[in-house]
Amino acid sequence: MRYLLPVLFLVALLAMLMLRGYVHSEILADHRVRPPAPTDQVPKAILAGGPVIDARDESAPKALSVPDKKLVLTFDDGPDPVWTPKVLDKLKQYDAHGVFFVTGTMASRYPELVERMVREGHEIGLHTFNHPDLSFQSTSRIDRELSQNQLAIAGAAGIRTSLFRPPYSSFSDALDNKSWPVTQYIGSRGYITAFNNTDSEDWKRPGVDAIIKRATPQGTKGSIVLMHDSGGDRSQTVAALDRLLPQMEARGYQFTHLTGALGAPSAHTKVTGPQLWKGKAWVGAVAVSENTTSALVAGLAVIGVLVFLRFGLMLLLSFAHARKVRRAGFSWGAPVTEPVSVLVPAYNERECIANTVHSLMTSDHPIEIIVIDDGSTDGTADIVEELRLPNVRVVRQPNSGKPAALNNGIRHARYDIVVMMDGDTVFEPATVGELVQPFGDMRVGAVAGNAKVGNRDSLIGAWQHIEYVMGFNLDRRMYEVLGCMPTIPGAVGAFRREALDRVGGMSEDTLAEDTDITMAMHRDGWRVVYAERARAWTEAPESVQQLWSQRYRWSYGTMQAMWKHRRAVIERGPSGRFGRVGLPLVSLFMVLFPLLAPLIDVFLLYGLFFGPTQKTIMAWLGVLAIQAVCAAYAFRLDRERMVHLISLPLQQILYRQLMYVVLLQSWITALTGGRLRWQKLRRTGVVEAPGVIPPQRRPSDERRPVG
């Protein structure tokens, strides 16, 4: 289900977007209009005849006229949600009937208006589905335009019609050698083609008086009047009807449908059976697509606002944090000089453990080192013991998991401050000393260090480097100011032992024990802060599969921790403050926001192929520019080389998508009640901290260290 549901979701989303694009004439639309052509192949009787062409009998096409004192009001291009109801209201007010030549796109989107037209006694005609110039189209495209137009009408009103008006048409005497074959083909399909002989030209919006003048026939002559109920502002058309209808009624004219004026049977045929259900299914699918994409557009607007708010908040609060901790004379309190215990939980870390322990031995701060071997099968504990280093102890235990290993290490620790790190991480000489200084403030219960990617020489490593500097450390500055930092990184964190004892130590309830313990600290009233100079160098995953496994566990574990601490929302005191401030922010920025953010990319792709391409590109570049500014500021704060930001655009295109899918799968795992096991990542041991003398490497190690 974790793989099937995301695929089904993406397919459904793509289908809805494509359907929306189709009914909005953004996909497969053809807006070309053919210029006039010679007329020598058009029968003279047609050119000189009336505006209605009956070419159902190919051997004897007929041109029909509307009798005197009959006025057939026709409205093209609708239905429109704004103007069609107003037109219908005017016709109802004067007990007049007309013919609405509807397009399939509009009928699909507003079926209730088509149903109203039929219910109030008006006649419906086809105006194609996408409104193309049919003289450019193949017969198969013409058939599709007609059948899909009929499908929309069937779904909306339960009828089909035999009336047709081609797009971009005018008088029948304008038929030429390109449009006449189309009229013949339409007739062979059983349709009567209705042109007009009185054009109001309301689409030009020339003014109400001009529309009335052009829509009024001469004397008592019968007429088919062309008007529009869609395609733009039709307020002049509605106002003109309010005057035209009583004027023509006073002159003895009757307003009727086309078949009534010609004395022909109704153009409508009731649809039943499979055709009716196909039409209803089509209209229903369009409604789902319209509503879903409208919700997506609203979501995109929310995301846009959140993007600007989040980045603005990050920049503002990160600046405030940096200014505070870097000002001259700043201190957390009395300097912390007493020894601390460093816990290194390790499971099958033979490639990295020697580097990790050697980096700790260069520490400027007095420490004891406790390596907790969690049932390793690769000789990790033996490697540490063979080093024979002072103040280094190895504690062996059966394989029980990282939380159990840390709790075992806490029991063996001699000192009141406990530093925790991963077995694949190396510290700089000053890291421990910088990490523990905030404990000079007795309100501080935990400290997050500055985790950095050591193996950043690959593309995937560079992407994670950007993420760590910008997405993690810049966030931690912001969250510290807000008092709701969600996670002490497992690679570099420190805890007051009293605080650990009060919250019950490390919990095995979630897969993100670092997030779980951090939230527990907040709820117990402890401050959690960030030490920017406490740098630790960790080996990031070097393959997509390993990265997927790591982030999948992180995302799922974070959701577990949020669910575990959900009662904080309704509690009082420090727990309530965290629950009503921290949990919503974490939910918004770490779960909901990334989950909705793919909408930006979905609409980006849609806009590139089917929408305003130039505006779409400019909007995406604008968002990228904002991210680049934040990333550059984060790199400046961390004194990192800007060269790595060259890969930022590619990270946004490729890397972010992987994170989206990981988060989506985590959601699905949580919603379906799935369980996720701890997954061990493969390490190479190539990471070294600047300033640390590396140990002698085995000859088989040919990897270039990255500092």
Side-chain angles (χ1 to χ4, degrees), residues 597-614:
L599 292 179
I600 297 175
D601 302 303
V602 170
F603 279 90
L604 167 66
L605 292 175
Y606 184 87
L608 285 176
F609 288 102
F610 307 116
T613 304
Q614 185 174 0

Side-chain angles (χ1 to χ4, degrees), residues 298-379:
L300 184 61
V302 171
I303 288 173
V305 173
L306 289 177
V307 166
F308 285 99
L309 287 178
R310 181 173 185 265
F311 286 143
L313 199 62
M314 283 174 59
L315 290 174
L316 180 64
L317 297 184
S318 297
F319 174 78
H321 177 271
R323 184 175 182 181
K324 167 191 166 185
V325 300
R326 293 181 179 183
R327 72 172 184 263
F330 170 80
S331 71
W332 293 97
V336 177
T337 58
E338 60 267 26
V340 301
S341 300
V342 180
L343 308 184
V344 187
Y347 173 70
N348 288 348
E349 298 285 2
R350 64 175 292 116
E351 294 85 1
C352 310
I353 195 65
N355 280 1
T356 299
V357 174
H358 275 286
S359 72
L360 291 172
M361 293 303 298
T362 65
S363 175
D364 297 339
H365 195 91
I367 61 174
E368 68 160 347
I369 303 169
I370 304 174
V371 178
I372 308 98
D373 183 80
D374 187 37
S376 297
T377 58
D378 65 348

Side-chain angles (χ1 to χ4, degrees), residues 449-596:
N450 188 347
K452 309 185 79 62
V453 175
N455 53 329
R456 61 183 75 170
D457 53 342
S458 64
L459 185 59
I460 196 168
W463 288 344
Q464 292 175 86
H465 173 49
I466 295 173
E467 181 185 31
Y468 272 59
V469 175
M470 178 186 173
F472 294 163
N473 294 334
L474 203 60
D475 272 352
R476 289 192 178 101
R477 298 176 192 272
M478 175 182 71
Y479 283 125
E480 181 189 325
V481 175
L482 296 175
C484 57
M485 189 183 305
T487 304
I488 299 292
V492 53
F495 297 86
R496 196 182 296 275
R497 189 164 185 168
E498 176 190 354
L500 287 171
D501 292 340
R502 277 173 44 175
V503 300
M506 309 300 289
S507 171
E508 300 181 12
D509 294 340
T510 74
L511 290 176
E513 75 289 334
D514 44 7
T515 301
D516 189 356
I517 189 68
T518 307
M519 291 183 176
M521 291 280 179
H522 283 297
R523 295 183 66 188
D524 197 44
W526 294 98
R527 286 188 65 193
V528 179
V529 299
Y530 173 59
E532 62 177 352
R533 290 194 290 264
R535 290 183 289 269
W537 299 81
T538 187
E539 182 176 342
E542 292 194 329
S543 70
V544 172
Q545 182 178 3
Q546 292 185 56
L547 180 63
W548 180 289
S549 298
Q550 183 194 67
R551 299 312 168 85
Y552 191 17
R553 176 175 59 83
W554 285 5
S555 298
Y556 188 62
T558 299
M559 293 179 190
Q560 288 179 311
M562 291 169 57
W563 181 253
K564 175 181 176 179
H565 296 282
R566 65 190 183 278
R567 288 191 57 83
V569 175
I570 60 174
E571 292 176 342
R572 297 181 178 180
S575 182
R577 285 195 298 273
F578 173 74
R580 289 183 286 275
V581 177
L583 281 181
L585 285 175
V586 173
S587 302
L588 186 65
F589 290 147
M590 297 183 67
V591 179
L592 292 179
F593 173 75
L595 192 63
L596 294 176

